[in-house]
C-alpha cells in the first residue's frame, strides 16, 4: 500500500509502498479516506519518540488520526464490523510503526468509533487527537460557569476545540492569537483575544483582569518557563498538552495542576463526533491536501500558521 513512511532511522519521510498491515487481536484495519495531521506526526517523523523511551520499528508510517471504512477486524472486536464507517486514532504504543497517512491503517479497537452519518470523512479525521486533548485539558481544571480561563495557543487545532467547549460550559475565555485570528476565535466563543505577538501574554491578561484569571490551559511551546503563569490568580489551576511547569514551580506560584497526556479513546471520541455531526461543535479544517502533499502539510504545521486542522484525503 502507498504510505508516507520513514524507511529507516534517520531518513526523511517518503511516499512509497509498504506492506499492508494485518489485523491482530483487538485491532481494526481501515481503508483510510482521510487522515488529520498533528504536531506529534513531525515528532514521530524526526525519530523523537525514541528519546522518550518509545522504540521504533521501520518502516514507520506517519499519522495518527483517521476516518475510513472498516476492512477487517481482529479477534475480540465486536463494536464495529466490516463496511462500517469509522473514525479513530493510533494510540502511542511501542514499537512505533503504525500510522494513518496510508491507504490502510491498523488502529487499536479501543480508539475506534462509528462515524455518525452526518459527519463527512474529512471532518471526522480532524477530530480525534485535537478533540480528545481539548476534552481532557478542560476536565483537568474543572472550570465552573462564570469563571475565566486563559487559553494560550488557542488559535491551533486543539485550541479551536478548547475555546468552544469552555464557552459551551458558560466559561469566559481569554484566547491568544494573532490579529488575523481574532474574528475566528470570537466566533468560536472567546470573550477576549490577546495577541501574543503584541507583548507578554501575562501582562496583557492582567491589564484586562487585574486579579488574574481562574485558570490557564497551555497549548503552545515546549519551554515551561515561557508559560504565562503570571496571568493566573492565587489558588488558580493550570493544565495543558504543551509545556506545563512542574508541581514545585506551580506550587511556588500558588497554583495547582499539571500536564495532560491525551487519550483519544472511543468513549471520548463518540460524543465529540455526535456533537460535530449535530453542528454543536465546529471542526475548523483550514486545508485539505492529497496524500502526495502530506509532507508539505506537516511542514506547514511545523512552521505555524495552519489556523486549524490540516487533513489529508485519499
Ligand atoms: N501531550 C499530548 O497528549 C498532546 C496532544 C495534542 C497536542 N499536543 C501538543 O499541544 C500543542 C498544540 O497542539 P495543536 O495540534 O493545537 O498544534 P497547532 O495547531 O500547531 O497549534 C499551536 C498554536 O500555537 C500558536 N502559537 C504560536 N506561537 C505562540 C505563542 N508565542 N503564544 C501563544 N500561541 C502561539 C500557533 O499559532 P500560529 O500558527 O499562528 O503560529 C498555533 O495556532 C502542540 O505542542 C502539540 O504537540 C500534545
Amino acid at each position: 500500500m502507498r504510505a508516507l513512511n520513514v524507511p529507516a532511522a534517520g531518513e526523511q519521510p517518503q511516499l512509497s509502498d509498504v506492506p499492508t498491515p494485518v489485523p491482530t487481536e483487538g485491532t481494526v484495519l481501515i481503508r483510510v479516506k482521510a487522515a488529520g495531521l498533528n504536531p506529534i506526526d513531525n515528532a514521530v517523523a524526526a525519530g523523537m519518540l525514541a528519546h522518550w523511551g518509545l522504540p521504533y520499528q521501520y518502516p514507520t508510517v506517519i499519522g495518527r488520526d483517521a476516518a475510513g471504512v472498516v476492512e477487517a477486524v481482529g479477534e475480540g472486536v465486536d463494536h464495529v464490523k466490516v463496511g462500517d464507517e469509522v473514525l479513530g486514532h493510533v494510540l502511542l504504543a511501542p514499537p512505533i510503526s503504525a500510522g494513518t497517512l496510508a491507504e490502510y491503517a491498523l488502529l487499536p479497537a479501543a480508539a475506534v468509533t462509528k462515524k455518525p452519518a452526518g459527519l463527512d470523512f474529512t471532518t471526522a479525521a480532524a477530530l480525534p487527537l485535537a478533540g480528545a486533548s481539548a476534552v481532557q485539558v478542560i476536565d483537568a481544571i474543572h472550570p465552573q460557569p462564570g469563571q475565566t480561563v486563559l487559553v494560550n495557543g488557542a488559535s491551533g487545532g486543539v485550541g479551536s476545540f478548547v475555546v468552544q467547549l469552555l464557552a459551551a460550559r458558560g466559561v469566559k475565555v481569554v484566547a491568544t492569537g494573532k490579529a488575523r485570528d481574532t474574528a475566528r476565535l470570537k466566533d468560536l466563543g472567546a470573550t477576549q483575544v490577546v495577541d501574543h505577538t503584541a507583548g507578554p501574554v501575562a501582562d496583557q491578561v492582567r491589564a484586562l483582569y487585574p486579579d488574574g484569571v481562574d485558570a490557564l490551559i497551555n497549548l503552545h511551546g515546549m519551554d515551561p518557563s515561557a508559560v504565562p503563569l503570571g496571568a493566573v490568580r492565587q489558588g488558580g489551576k493550570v493544565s495543558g498538552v504543551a509545556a506545563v511547569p512542574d508541581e514545585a514551580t506551580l506550587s511556588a506560584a500558588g497554583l495547582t495542576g499539571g500536564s495532560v497526556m491525551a487519550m483519544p479513546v472511543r468513549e471520548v471520541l463518540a460524543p465529540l463526533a455526535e456533537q460535530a455531526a449535530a453542528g454543536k461543535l465546529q471542526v475548523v479544517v483550514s486545508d485539505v491536501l492529497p496524500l502526495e502533499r502530506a509532507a508539505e502539510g506537516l511542514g506547514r504545521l511545523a512552521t505555524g500558521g495552519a489556523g486549524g486542522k490540516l487533513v489529508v484525503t485519499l
Side-chain angles (χ1 to χ4, degrees):
M1 65 171 187
R2 300 282 284 164
L4 186 71
N5 70 94
V6 178
E11 293 191 8
Q12 291 296 311
Q14 62 176 46
L15 191 58
S16 62
D17 286 330
V18 300
T20 302
V22 177
T24 51
E25 187 178 351
T27 64
V28 177
L29 182 70
I30 69 166
R31 184 156 42 86
V32 178
K33 294 281 197 181
L37 303 183
N38 293 284
I40 184 83
D41 301 332
N42 279 318
V44 171
M48 278 169 62
L49 272 53
H51 302 293
W52 306 342
L54 294 168
Y56 282 51
Q57 185 174 302
Y58 295 94
T60 304
V61 179
I62 308 304
R64 312 212 76 77
D65 284 343
V69 180
V70 175
E71 185 77 10
V73 296
E75 213 180 301
V77 178
D78 51 17
H79 73 291
V80 292
K81 61 179 188 319
V82 173
D84 282 350
E85 296 183 348
V86 297
L87 64 148
H89 182 85
V90 181
L91 297 166
L92 282 179
I96 302 295
S97 82
T100 57
L101 288 166
E103 289 170 304
Y104 295 90
L106 194 61
L107 277 56
V112 175
T113 192
K114 281 187 193 160
K115 179 180 78 58
L119 196 63
D120 61 70
F121 285 109
T122 302
T123 312
L127 261 180
L129 184 58
S133 300
V135 168
Q136 291 164 346
V137 286
I138 292 172
D139 285 351
I141 58 164
H142 302 295
Q144 302 301 309
Q147 285 192 321
T148 305
V149 176
L150 167 63
V151 184
N152 189 49
S155 51
V158 179
S160 303
F161 291 121
V162 170
V163 171
Q164 293 179 72
L165 295 171
L166 284 173
R169 289 185 179 212
V171 172
K172 277 193 276 181
V173 181
V174 183
T176 62
K178 293 176 183 150
R180 60 157 195 244
D181 302 310
T182 303
R184 179 171 65 85
L185 287 167
K186 287 200 167 168
D187 181 53
L188 293 175
T191 308
Q192 278 120 347
V193 178
V194 164
D195 184 346
H196 57 80
T197 63
V201 169
D203 294 353
Q204 295 188 67
V205 174
R206 283 282 177 169
L208 294 167
Y209 297 90
D211 296 333
V213 295
D214 298 297
L216 159 66
I217 291 177
N218 189 46
L219 306 174
H220 163 71
M222 306 291 280
D223 176 8
S225 69
V227 179
L229 292 187
V232 191
R233 66 163 169 81
Q234 286 288 303
K237 293 180 182 165
V238 179
S239 75
V241 282
V244 174
D246 61 24
E247 208 180 322
T249 308
L250 291 178
S251 175
L255 307 171
T256 55
S259 63
V260 169
M261 182 56 74
M263 288 290 280
V265 290
R266 65 183 200 244
E267 293 77 6
V268 179
L269 295 184
L272 281 171
E274 291 298 341
Q275 280 176 271
K280 293 179 184 155
L281 182 70
Q282 270 190 62
V283 183
V284 182
V285 176
S286 56
D287 207 355
V288 180
L289 303 164
L291 184 59
E292 292 68 28
R293 290 176 58 202
E296 176 195 322
L298 291 171
R300 273 157 65 183
L301 258 192
T303 51
K309 296 295 299 178
L310 299 175
V311 178
V312 169
T313 52
L314 286 97

